[in-house]
Amino acid sequence: MIEAALLIFGGAVMLFGALGILRFPDVYTRLHAATKCDTGGAMGIILALVLMMEAPALVKLKFLVLAFLIAMINPMVSHAIARGAYKYGVKPKVVVDMYAWDNP
Amino acid sequence: MAQEGLLVSAFYLLVFTAMLIIYRVVRGPTLPDRIVGLNAITTKVVVIIAVLSVLQQEYYLIDLAIVLLMVNAVGGLILAKYMERRGND
């Protein structure tokens, strides 16, 4: 029961992340939607799989390692992409760009 | 198993969302947008592989998912560094 809820939650979050990537106005907001929703959704689904499966403990451990790696790696890559995008010249569509104050 | 139908539904939902993002990869309009799209698609593919491994009871696939995640991370960092360099020209 709890694994079904986790699976549905994860799937819904990933769907919203995809919609965010399609609808948001600039690369930074899209990056926000992509990273948060994909990371949260992926971890939810993998935890559901761990609860759901009938497998030896080593296999479950591998799934948990995968969830942990997703939690660590996705934010790191998104920070790198945001920094690269800014230096590439893509300016955020905001009223006040506070990042520019510290990084002329 | 009892949840097989649920897993199959999750699989199709994930494939559908990955295909949605293909629009952003193709359309862009900027290089960072394409990188964001590719990164998101790869993450979803990792989860799809995990779901498939449970559905088919072929647990060696999880190793593929972990390696794919690593490659995605390295690729994303390389592209980010590339953008940074291009910006300084």
Side-chain angles (χ1 to χ4, degrees):
Chain A
M1 189 60 196
I2 188 69
E3 55 263 24
L6 268 176
L7 199 64
I8 292 173
F9 167 79
V13 167
M14 282 198 140
L15 179 63
F16 294 145
L19 294 180
I21 292 175
L22 292 181
R23 287 284 300 147
F24 280 2
D26 71 354
V27 65
Y28 302 102
T29 47
R30 285 179 201 131
L31 199 54
H32 179 85
T35 303
K36 279 197 176 347
C37 292
D38 275 359
T39 306
M43 291 179 69
I45 292 179
I46 291 174
L47 286 183
L49 296 180
V50 169
L51 294 176
M52 197 178 279
M53 69 171 70
E54 306 137 11
L58 181 62
V59 172
K60 292 190 177 184
L61 185 64
K62 282 184 178 178
F63 275 83
L64 291 178
V65 166
L66 179 63
F68 176 78
L69 287 180
I70 289 177
M72 293 297 109
I73 285 176
N74 266 19
M76 176 187 73
V77 173
S78 81
H79 275 287
I81 292 174
R83 178 187 156 89
Y86 196 87
K87 291 186 177 301
Y88 187 67
V90 180
K91 297 307 176 190
K93 297 181 179 178
V94 290
V95 177
V96 178
D97 181 3
M98 299 184 79
Y99 189 80
W101 297 358
D102 300 324
N103 304 271
Chain B
M1 56 178 59
Q3 300 99 340
E4 195 152 308
L6 202 58
L7 281 179
V8 172
S9 304
F11 169 81
Y12 281 116
L13 176 68
L14 289 172
V15 171
F16 170 70
T17 54
M19 287 181 172
L20 280 182
I21 301 177
I22 289 175
Y23 166 82
R24 182 58 63 198
V25 173
V26 172
R27 174 82 167 72
T30 67
L31 176 62
D33 284 313
R34 294 197 168 90
I35 297 174
V36 170
L38 268 181
N39 197 267
I41 289 181
T42 310
T43 304
K44 291 181 199 303
V45 169
V46 166
V47 179
I48 288 169
I49 294 175
V51 170
L52 275 182
S53 73
V54 174
L55 261 176
Q56 303 286 336
Q57 310 264 326
E58 312 260 12
Y59 295 119
Y60 56 86
L61 288 177
I62 198 64
D63 298 324
L64 286 184
I66 293 176
V67 170
L68 178 58
L69 188 68
M70 298 297 194
V71 171
N72 172 53
V74 174
L77 292 176
I78 289 174
L79 287 171
K81 179 59 70 174
Y82 165 79
M83 280 195 291
E84 204 170 316
R85 291 292 186 79
R86 277 282 301 272
N88 293 335
D89 292 350

